[in-house]
Amino acid sequence: MKSNVIKALLACGVCMASVACGSKGGNVEQTAAEEKPKVTTEVVHVEKVDQISVFTGNVEGYAVNNITPQSSRRISRLLVDVGDHVKEGQVVAEMDESSLAQAKSQLATDKAAFERADELYKFGGESKAAWEEAKNEYELSQSNYDNLLENTTLCSPIAGVVTARNYDNGDMVGAEPIFVIQQIRPVKIIVNVSESLYSYVKKGMGVDVTLDALPDRTFEGKVSRITPAVDASTRTFPVEIIVTNSDEVVKPGMYARVTMNYGSRDNVVVPDRAVVKQMGSGDRYIYVYQQDGTVKFQKVELGRRMSDRYEITAGLADGDEIVVKGQNALNNGVSVERVNE
């Protein structure tokens, strides 16, 4: 009797252990299923993407002229001021004329001496050496007078606007120019363009120009000059942009952004949130969903950024399904659960 009871208890214990073990195994499988990372995916496609680059630079006068005499002189009278418009050839300053008066007197003396020598030489009354000496003295005086005349009455060689004045009436002119005159119709902007774009930038191509000082306007510009050499230290080349500026609202010194459009290309476009940066490098990756339920860590090349999207120039194909949410819990080759809405 007692042995039968013991056997019954042992059998019950074995059954309970079996049930317990079976229950534990089921929990492991259920937990493993629940631990699959949940991701949101999106199928991406090829789109036409405008090839646009933006460069920055400062506005400059199309031509800049420093008005100053060749030698240090005293200013008699300034005829224009900062902000004034001047015409080509307009007198802008008059210098002290004392040196000019002396040069004029010397010129008259040397001219008369040469005329006398010339008359005598024609009739054999003067040697050729004396005639040549008188002629040289006269020509030297004429050149000196012309030079002083040009540097006594100072004219603007360009039509433009006076942007700087460094002296007052009566001052002696030193190292600084008296005036700076800039031609601002048109103006120019010089930007440094990456060498990878050298074959795309063409003389005469149109560009858009925006200015921080005039945020509500976009100006039309045109490529006027392309430097035929690349700077080896920066891997860029200077490009000159011309803006007509007929209303003169664009001023020298303004900060400008130049947008160049090289046409369009067909490339895959993805949401920016899908792009993952690998720690310790500049490489960019995207998790691509595979048919077997795993994800592949795919390196990609980024092109243009468009608001919240990126152009992909290499690494993805039309129709690829990529992970756009849940990347933080992923590794290359891991199985995932899609939870697309």
Side-chain angles (χ1 to χ4, degrees):
M1 178 72 177
K2 185 175 181 180
S3 62
N4 291 337
V5 172
I6 292 173
K7 289 179 180 179
L9 290 173
L10 289 172
C12 182
V14 169
C15 291
M16 291 178 66
S18 299
V19 171
C21 290
S23 175
K24 184 177 180 180
N27 287 339
V28 169
E29 293 176 0
Q30 184 177 0
T31 302
E34 290 176 352
E35 286 178 352
K36 275 189 177 182
K38 292 181 173 59
V39 298
T40 303
T41 64
E42 182 177 311
V43 177
V44 294
H45 297 286
V46 168
E47 300 179 19
K48 284 193 175 297
V49 181
D50 288 335
Q51 300 303 297
I52 292 175
S53 299
V54 179
F55 305 95
T56 60
N58 295 316
V59 176
E60 302 176 20
Y62 183 72
V64 180
N65 192 266
N66 296 318
I67 306 297
T68 189
Q70 287 185 350
S71 58
S72 182
R73 304 277 297 280
R74 189 174 298 280
I75 299 171
S76 291
R77 187 165 59 138
L78 300 177
L79 303 176
V80 294
D81 204 348
V82 173
D84 289 347
H85 285 71
V86 298
K87 299 178 181 179
E88 182 179 348
Q90 179 178 335
V91 178
V92 296
E94 295 175 347
M95 311 303 293
D96 179 73
E97 296 185 357
S98 57
S99 297
L100 180 65
Q102 293 175 7
K104 186 176 182 180
S105 176
Q106 185 64 48
L107 174 62
T109 300
D110 291 339
K111 181 181 179 181
F114 171 68
E115 289 174 347
R116 286 193 302 270
D118 190 51
E119 285 294 324
L120 292 172
Y121 180 66
K122 289 177 182 178
F123 296 102
E126 187 72 271
S127 68
K128 185 175 182 180
W131 177 84
E132 288 180 345
E133 183 180 355
K135 180 175 180 292
N136 290 337
E137 290 292 334
Y138 169 53
E139 289 177 346
L140 182 62
S141 294
Q142 183 70 62
S143 176
N144 185 47
Y145 174 77
D146 292 343
N147 180 267
L148 284 170
L149 180 62
E150 182 181 352
N151 285 274
T152 299
T153 303
L154 303 182
C155 302
S156 173
I158 60 173
V161 177
V162 180
T163 57
R165 189 194 82 181
N166 297 309
Y167 300 96
D168 293 320
N169 291 331
D171 286 347
M172 286 291 294
V173 177
E176 293 293 323
I178 299 173
F179 295 114
V180 177
I181 297 176
Q182 299 194 45
Q183 182 181 349
I184 62 172
R185 284 193 293 177
V187 292
K188 66 183 179 183
I189 305 162
I190 297 177
V191 296
N192 293 314
V193 180
S194 171
E195 68 173 336
S196 62
L197 299 172
Y198 196 93
S199 61
Y200 298 101
V201 181
K202 306 295 182 183
K203 187 175 180 179
M205 72 181 287
V207 301
D208 289 334
V209 176
T210 56
L211 304 161
D212 284 4
L214 303 167
D216 298 327
R217 293 188 61 176
T218 299
F219 299 87
E220 294 181 1
K222 184 178 292 186
V223 175
S224 60
R225 182 179 294 127
I226 302 171
T227 301
V230 175
D231 187 323
S233 62
T234 63
R235 294 300 173 191
T236 61
F237 60 99
V239 175
E240 181 182 274
I241 310 297
I242 294 297
V243 179
T244 305
N245 198 29
S246 56
D247 54 3
E248 296 187 359
V249 296
V250 182
K251 307 296 185 183
M254 286 184 173
Y255 187 72
R257 290 179 172 83
V258 176
T259 302
M260 296 184 181
N261 190 323
Y262 319 105
S264 63
R265 292 181 186 173
D266 293 330
N267 279 321
V268 172
V269 175
V270 304
D272 60 357
R273 66 182 184 275
V275 180
V276 178
K277 181 179 179 181
Q278 188 177 44
M279 296 297 293
S281 76
D283 295 336
R284 300 295 192 276
Y285 290 82
I286 288 178
Y287 284 102
V288 180
Y289 183 78
Q290 307 294 301
Q291 292 300 316
D292 62 359
T294 63
V295 292
K296 179 182 178 183
F297 199 43
Q298 178 64 46
K299 183 179 178 180
V300 296
E301 297 293 335
L302 302 185
R304 180 186 166 205
R305 179 162 189 164
M306 302 162 288
S307 184
D308 60 349
R309 302 193 303 163
Y310 270 116
E311 172 192 20
I312 304 298
T313 59
L316 292 182
D318 186 47
D320 279 348
E321 187 172 359
I322 66 171
V323 176
V324 297
K325 186 177 180 181
Q327 300 97 316
N328 292 339
L330 301 185
N331 288 307
N332 187 39
V334 72
S335 294
V336 298
E337 179 185 350
R338 283 184 297 181
V339 290
N340 298 348
E341 295 179 358

